[in-house]
Amino acid sequence: MNLSRMLAKRAEEGRPVRVGIIGAGKFGAMYLSQARLTKGTHILGIADLDVPRAKDQLRHIEWEAERYAASSFDDALKHGTTFVTDNAEALIKADGLEVLIDATGDPAIGIKHCLMAIDHGRHIVMVNVEADVVAGPLLAARAEAAGLVYTLAWGDQPALISEHVDWARSIGFKVVCAGKGTRYLPRHHASTPDTVWENFGFDLEMVKRGRLNPKMFNSFIDGTKSGIEMSAVCNATGLRPQADGLHFPPSSRLELAEVCKPKSAGGQVDFDGTTEVVSSLYRDGTDVPVNLQFGTYVVVEAETDYATYCFEEYKMLHDSSFKYAALYRPTHMIGLELGVSVASAALRNEPTGSPIGFFSDVVATAKRDLKAGETLDGEGGYCVWGKQTPADASLENGYLPLGLAHNVRLKRDVKLGERLAWADVDVDETSQIFKVRREMEARFGRPNARAAE
């Protein structure tokens, strides 16, 4: 609990942690709003394809104009200001940069930026969890081999859930289930950018004020982001996905230990050591009271009678048997909290969650009947949603990772609810993302698992 002191020391020494961020969207804006207030942190550069929009975001989050008036990275380094550019490659190469944040949300671009950052000796904070679930284990291994940190983003739910798991294991508890809450109904799998605000229950004034992106937010409501985030958790902790992915059982905060324990013990998850996302809605669409829509949790098992007595005596959030108990965080602050990852990487050389293996995948799944010749539009769009799938099953069946389901043409008709395969689409096998994904599968996948392509 000394990151703030370490940052203050860097400030006193006149060498703040110098950070670059690619992507000035919602997550990036949230981080930047706090970064300017964080002692010992210097935002050296911001890269975004739309520089005027990025500068407008800075005004929107109350940055003074002189803070981002630098004319170059050298100017920013000399005067402690920020250079805004559309050249991400130049930012990665900029003198003095220590930590690169990728907040683009594009898996192909995120992988490109990450590999370039490693080549130039930069720690990587991967807000782009879409890239992480395509090839995170390989990216993390390459960073480690170079003496660098590759980390999930604190404030985003995968890093927070991974911390819950680490907390439990560090004090000797068996982790039964870990995950988060969301707003879920089965019909939401068919949600599109045209119906997203209705499904979320957001009014248009809030959408406008928050500058919310309908395609991005649609990936939250259609189940995709849940599959992505729980896959990131599995790959960072060694937890295993359930055979058919997430079930989204309704649960209040007080019922987590009852609901998210194994079916063999009267709960609703397939086995212990897994992930689940609980819904804030009952299947009839009514609200679950005291729900966990924006929070995270872990359920642990008492392996001794004494621990069960403690669960009861101290009024922990236990189940009816006192054998299982839950710990939860009611909400997460997203980009506002990202500075924890930045400081941890730069000052402790330690990630706030990082993939250790390939245990879970996210598979493109048809939102509707699709026709041969259609072009898929990826995460949050009109064609597919992302279903959490055990990695072995994904490889054995040759399933198409969601991260490669963008701007590819279908070769056959696909029925509603069917998981797509590599063989169903035309993929550019010369692309970097294809090659990196295949390298990740070869290094981290079970030998000879890729049998059905």
Side-chain angles (χ1 to χ4, degrees):
M1 289 181 277
N2 62 356
L3 285 176
S4 62
R5 289 203 304 258
M6 296 170 76
L7 284 169
K9 186 171 186 294
R10 288 284 295 263
E12 290 168 7
E13 294 170 349
R15 52 185 197 96
V17 176
R18 292 193 168 90
V19 184
I21 182 168
I22 305 174
K26 179 64 173 175
F27 202 112
M30 293 180 79
Y31 167 66
L32 291 166
S33 71
Q34 290 301 116
R36 74 178 182 88
L37 305 173
T38 304
K39 186 179 293 186
T41 300
H42 172 204
I43 304 300
L44 181 67
I46 300 167
D48 193 278
L49 293 175
D50 189 337
V51 170
R53 187 198 69 159
K55 290 184 176 180
D56 183 57
Q57 282 279 55
L58 294 175
R59 288 188 291 271
H60 181 64
I61 61 174
E62 301 174 57
W63 272 43
E64 300 86 353
E66 59 268 22
R67 286 182 175 269
Y68 54 92
S71 59
S72 67
F73 291 116
D74 287 341
D75 184 32
L77 185 63
K78 180 178 179 181
H79 295 103
T81 54
T82 300
F83 180 49
V84 185
T85 179
D86 61 1
N87 192 333
E89 183 174 342
L91 171 59
I92 294 169
K93 295 178 178 179
D95 288 344
L97 185 69
E98 292 180 69
V99 181
L100 179 76
I101 302 167
D102 185 281
T104 63
D106 183 312
I109 294 298
I111 288 169
K112 176 184 176 181
H113 293 158
C114 182
L115 293 175
M116 188 179 298
I118 292 169
D119 287 344
H120 288 85
R122 319 307 189 195
H123 300 302
I124 305 100
V125 179
M126 188 57 86
V127 174
N128 188 342
V129 70
E130 293 80 4
D132 180 78
V133 298
V134 170
L138 180 66
L139 300 176
R142 287 199 181 179
E144 183 178 12
L148 299 167
V149 172
Y150 171 100
T151 181
L152 299 177
W154 188 264
D156 214 0
Q157 289 166 311
L160 300 179
I161 297 165
S162 296
E163 192 274 339
H164 290 332
V165 173
D166 188 60
W167 163 84
R169 289 171 173 168
S170 296
I171 55 176
F173 277 118
K174 178 195 290 186
V175 175
V176 174
C177 190
K180 67 168 196 168
T182 196
R183 183 179 175 88
Y184 172 84
L185 290 173
R187 65 178 174 81
H188 289 166
H189 289 312
S191 183
T192 72
D194 295 334
T195 61
V196 60
W197 306 132
E198 173 189 344
N199 289 330
F200 253 118
F202 286 178
D203 68 77
L204 295 183
E205 175 58 32
M206 185 175 76
V207 170
K208 182 179 179 180
R209 183 177 67 246
R211 303 186 176 193
L212 306 185
N213 180 322
K215 192 169 188 283
M216 183 191 76
F217 270 78
N218 194 50
S219 72
F220 286 94
I221 203 70
D222 71 6
T224 295
K225 195 68 78 171
S226 291
I228 288 173
E229 292 184 334
M230 293 309 100
S231 288
V233 169
C234 285
N235 294 339
T237 63
L239 297 176
R240 298 304 200 272
Q242 299 171 83
D244 196 37
L246 301 169
H247 302 144
F248 301 95
S251 178
S252 73
R253 302 175 194 178
L254 306 181
E255 298 171 310
L256 287 165
E258 196 72 57
V259 172
C260 296
K261 64 183 181 181
K263 291 178 179 177
S264 60
Q268 297 188 44
V269 300
D270 292 348
F271 49 81
D272 61 34
T274 190
T275 53
E276 185 59 275
V277 173
V278 297
S279 178
S280 64
L281 299 175
Y282 293 114
R283 291 299 191 256
D284 64 3
T286 59
D287 288 336
V288 173
V290 199
N291 63 62
L292 194 71
Q293 180 173 344
F294 298 104
T296 57
Y297 76 91
V298 64
V299 172
V300 299
E301 179 181 352
E303 297 185 84
T304 66
D305 288 341
Y306 181 76
T308 66
Y309 304 152
C310 292
F311 286 178
E312 181 179 14
E313 291 166 6
Y314 288 90
K315 309 299 181 186
M316 298 180 190
L317 296 178
H318 55 74
D319 74 327
S320 55
S321 73
F322 302 105
K323 187 176 181 181
Y324 302 91
L327 182 80
Y328 73 85
R329 194 179 198 249
T331 190
H332 64 300
M333 297 178 73
I334 320 171
L336 300 176
E337 298 183 83
L338 185 59
V340 173
S341 289
V342 172
S344 183
L347 304 176
R348 289 181 177 156
N349 207 46
E350 182 176 277
T352 53
S354 186
I356 59 173
F358 182 43
F359 309 113
S360 183
D361 202 5
V362 187
V363 174
T365 305
K367 286 187 172 183
R368 55 177 173 79
D369 289 344
L370 302 171
K371 296 295 184 182
E374 286 194 63
T375 298
L376 302 182
D377 57 356
E379 178 186 355
Y382 294 85
C383 299
V384 296
W385 64 280
K387 183 178 180 65
Q388 186 188 24
T389 302
D392 285 353
S394 180
L395 295 181
E396 287 168 359
N397 291 283
Y399 289 143
L400 178 69
L402 179 73
L404 284 93
H406 180 71
N407 201 30
V408 292
R409 188 179 63 85
L410 270 178
K411 295 160 65 174
R412 71 172 181 90
D413 293 350
V414 178
K415 294 293 186 183
L416 167 69
E418 187 177 351
R419 279 178 274 201
L420 279 70
W422 287 97
D424 296 333
V425 296
D426 286 320
V427 177
D428 180 4
E429 297 188 4
T430 67
S431 65
Q432 182 183 48
I433 188 173
F434 177 87
K435 292 177 181 178
V436 169
R437 169 67 186 205
R438 288 310 205 198
E439 183 180 347
M440 190 278 292
E441 292 177 353
R443 181 166 173 180
F444 292 93
R446 182 167 56 83
N448 303 316
R450 200 169 67 229
E453 297 175 29

